């Protein structure tokens, strides 16, 4: 009998790290997670009020426009023009920013085309490229080893090569590093891609999360596609609402971008859940002032996690990056503890706190730590546990991991779930 197997594309796709960390967190009692990049607040009242008011609208039970509810598209067009300064664009509403990125990959890339992802990359971006057959054609860009900003000199050389990439992907502010590209850096990347005839895709999911007076900026042009999300800023993770701003037919290098992308949209969701779009219209009524208030409330969390990472800073902060934007810090593990997956498992077992291993982002020996997913009290508790664990690693090195393993030898764990990363 012939054995039926899964596709080569899916087998080449990385397993979702957040699912792994969720299982790992659930494998022991009392574990607090600093792993998943979510926020602890709920959507604004305007969003829930809009949903309640629309509950009896039977038209929302039907299929909607692939581009999005007209009221939502209009509100997003206004936001993109006035807040982001984007011009000559069209909007497509998607089921989150991950679906937006998948739409873009399917529309603009063939499997043999090269695409640049800067290490450390956002894991779901790599998964989307892998799943669509492009795993062997990812070009991993370099970041400055001290600032962790994308190395644009490297990008210039890459784009000027005999076989340049067709697409360059930036996440700004960055998941996983928490750094924020400046306006001049974005403009340089924009110009380099324009000169090379490459698409520039900018994921702006964390546009509202900037700190210490920094500001997020956008670029636009015939070769630029911007991706946005309502999940983080508005606390709408489960509502699955993102959107794409792509160049319109008058501006686009390929005037059929919208038409071709509509094929992808119709094949995957047909349309985004209409009630989610109603909630999004209400959230946009609350707008940036409401978001600013929530983000400002993260200051104590941010300080607590930065302090928790101080054992890795060695007095210079050279081992810790981020805090400029998004909701993450990026930290280098002590020498001898480069097996970040083992460290993450050890932190869960010994110190009841979970983070994301850098291996999931293409950089072993590092960890990503989130600071927005817990309310202040719980975040401080998690920070205390994390600091204690990291200090033990600094003091004892890999011996701390070895002792933990040795202590478990001879213990019957056959009934316990094996949830190690």
């Amino acid at each position: 009998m012939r054995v039926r197997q899964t596709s080569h594309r899916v087998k080449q796709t990385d397993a979702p790290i957040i699912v792994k960390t969720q299982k790992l967190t659930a494998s022991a009692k009392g574990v607090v997670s600093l792993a998943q990049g979510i926020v602890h607040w709920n959507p604004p009242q305007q969003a829930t009020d809009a949903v309640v008011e629309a509950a009896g609208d039977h038209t929302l039970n039907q299929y909607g426009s692939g581009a999005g509810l007209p009221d939502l598209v209009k509100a997003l067009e206004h936001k993109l023009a006035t807040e982001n300064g984007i011009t000559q664009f069209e909007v497509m509403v998607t089921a989150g920013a991950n679906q937006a990125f998948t739409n873009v990959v399917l529309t603009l890339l063939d499997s043999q085309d090269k695409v640049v992802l800067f290490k450390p990359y956002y894991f779901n971006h790599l998964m989307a490229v892998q799943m669509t057959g492009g795993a062997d054609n990812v070009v991993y860009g370099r970041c400055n080893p001290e600032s962790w900003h994308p190395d644009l000199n490297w990008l210039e050389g890459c784009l000027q090569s005999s076989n340049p990439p067709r697409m360059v992907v930036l996440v700004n502010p960055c998941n996983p590093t928490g750094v924020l590209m400046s306006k001049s850096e974005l403009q340089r990347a924009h110009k380099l891609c324009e000169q090379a005839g490459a698409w520039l895709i900018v994921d702006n999911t964390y546009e509202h999360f900037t700190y210490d007076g920094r500001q997020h900026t956008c670029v636009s042009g015939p070769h630029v596609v911007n991706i946005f999300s309502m999940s983080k800023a508005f606390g709408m993770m489960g509502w699955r609402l993102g959107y794409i701003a792509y160049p319109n037919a008058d501006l686009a290098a390929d005037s059929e971008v919208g038409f071709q992308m509509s094929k992808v949209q119709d094949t995957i969701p047909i349309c985004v859940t209409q009630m989610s779009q109603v909630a999004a219209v209400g959230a946009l009524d609350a707008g940036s002032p409401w978001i600013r208030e929530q983000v400002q409330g993260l200051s104590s969390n941010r300080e607590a996690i930065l302090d928790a990472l101080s054992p890795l800073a060695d007095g210079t902060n050279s081992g810790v990056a981020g805090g400029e934007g998004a909701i993450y810090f990026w930290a280098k593990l002590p020498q001898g503890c480069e097996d970040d997956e083992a460290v993450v498992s050890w932190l869960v077992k010994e110190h009841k706190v979970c983070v994301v291993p850098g291996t999931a982002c293409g950089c072993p020996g590092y960890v990503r730590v989130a600071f927005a997913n817990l309310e202040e009290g719980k975040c401080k508790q998690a920070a205390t546990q994390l600091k204690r664990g990291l200090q033990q690693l600094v003091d004892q090195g890999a011996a701390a991991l070895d002792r933990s393993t040795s202590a478990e030898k001879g213990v019957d764990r056959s009934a316990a779930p094996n949830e190690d990363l």
Side-chain angles (χ1 to χ4, degrees):
M1 179 182 294
R2 183 181 178 184
V3 178
R4 293 172 175 82
Q5 298 183 345
T6 53
S7 73
H8 183 62
R9 295 190 311 278
V10 169
K11 287 180 178 178
Q12 279 195 303
T13 302
D14 290 354
I17 186 60
I18 296 304
V19 173
K20 289 184 179 182
T21 58
Q22 287 172 337
K23 290 181 178 179
L24 186 61
T25 300
S27 69
K29 291 184 178 179
V31 177
V32 286
S33 177
L34 296 170
Q36 190 166 17
I38 58 177
V39 298
H40 64 74
W41 54 80
N42 294 317
Q45 188 64 42
Q46 292 93 322
T48 51
D49 287 348
V51 170
V52 171
E53 184 177 346
D57 185 350
H58 299 300
T59 64
L60 298 178
N61 298 322
Q62 307 299 317
Y63 291 124
S65 166
L69 282 178
D71 286 349
L72 177 57
V73 171
K74 183 178 180 180
L76 291 173
E77 288 174 342
H78 176 75
K79 178 261 182 186
L80 289 164
T82 58
E83 295 185 20
N84 301 112
I86 298 175
T87 59
Q88 294 182 278
F89 62 90
E90 300 287 344
V91 170
M92 177 175 285
V93 179
T94 58
N98 282 344
Q99 193 229 316
F101 185 75
T102 302
N103 277 18
V104 169
V105 168
L106 286 168
T107 302
L108 303 182
L109 281 183
D110 290 312
S111 59
Q112 73 273 15
D113 291 329
K114 289 184 177 181
V115 54
V116 171
L117 300 180
F118 284 90
K119 281 189 177 183
Y121 47 73
Y122 172 45
F123 33 80
N124 281 110
H125 284 172
L126 177 62
M127 291 170 66
V129 176
Q130 291 170 329
M131 198 173 294
T132 52
D136 295 332
N137 293 303
V138 178
V139 181
Y140 295 105
R142 295 199 305 250
C143 285
N144 182 295
E146 294 184 1
S147 70
W148 289 98
H149 284 228
D151 186 339
L152 299 182
N153 290 332
W154 174 90
L155 179 61
E156 182 173 9
C158 179
L159 289 169
Q160 292 177 353
S161 67
S162 59
N163 185 20
R166 187 171 181 178
M167 179 184 292
V168 175
V169 180
L170 297 173
V171 185
N172 191 50
C174 183
N175 176 5
T177 62
V179 303
L180 176 70
M181 294 180 70
S182 67
K183 183 177 181 179
S184 61
E185 287 176 315
L186 275 175
Q187 289 175 335
R188 185 181 177 196
H190 172 283
K191 184 175 181 180
L192 290 172
C193 290
E194 182 179 38
Q195 291 172 339
W199 287 101
L200 175 62
I201 313 302
V202 186
D203 186 333
N204 304 279
T205 291
Y206 298 93
E207 60 174 321
H208 297 287
F209 294 84
T210 59
Y211 311 98
D212 300 330
R214 297 180 179 89
Q215 291 189 345
H216 169 269
T217 58
C218 284
V219 291
S220 59
H223 60 295
V224 180
V225 177
N226 281 286
I227 292 172
F228 299 86
S229 173
M230 297 192 68
S231 295
K232 317 298 182 180
F234 287 108
M236 297 179 64
M237 290 75 65
W239 292 89
R240 307 311 304 131
L241 211 300
Y243 53 103
I244 307 168
Y246 60 91
N248 63 21
D250 293 333
L251 181 66
D254 183 342
S255 60
E256 289 196 334
V257 170
F259 172 69
Q260 300 301 340
M261 196 178 295
S262 70
K263 299 177 184 178
V264 179
Q265 184 82 336
D266 193 70
T267 302
I268 299 177
I270 298 180
C271 68
V272 174
T273 303
Q274 299 221 74
M275 194 60 80
S276 293
Q277 297 187 67
V278 169
V281 174
L284 288 168
D285 284 342
S288 295
W290 184 88
I291 297 170
R292 280 194 295 272
E293 184 177 349
Q294 313 312 310
V295 173
Q296 287 170 0
L298 290 175
S299 59
S300 59
N301 282 19
R302 184 165 158 257
E303 292 171 4
I305 297 304
L306 184 59
D307 177 69
L309 296 172
S310 60
L312 304 180
D314 194 26
T316 64
N317 277 346
S318 60
V320 179
E324 298 174 2
I327 53 176
Y328 309 106
F329 284 103
W330 179 251
K332 185 177 182 179
L333 294 170
Q335 187 173 359
C337 300
E338 287 81 7
D339 186 347
D340 53 329
E341 294 183 332
V343 168
V344 169
S345 293
W346 175 82
L347 284 170
V348 167
K349 293 175 183 177
E350 299 297 326
H351 295 279
K352 305 298 183 183
V353 63
C354 187
V355 296
V356 168
T359 295
C361 308
C363 291
Y366 292 82
V367 290
R368 188 195 79 172
V369 187
F371 58 82
N373 59 332
L374 300 173
E375 293 182 357
E376 183 177 344
K378 292 182 179 179
C379 187
K380 287 183 176 180
Q381 174 195 347
T384 298
Q385 294 165 210
L386 178 62
K387 185 175 184 178
R388 185 166 58 243
L390 295 177
Q391 189 63 60
Q392 185 177 353
L393 283 182
V394 170
D395 293 341
Q396 301 176 10
L401 308 181
D402 295 339
R403 273 192 284 274
S404 176
T405 302
S406 298
E408 292 184 351
K409 286 185 177 180
V411 178
D412 181 8
R413 298 178 60 83
S414 59
N418 180 15
E419 300 295 1
D420 287 4
L421 289 171

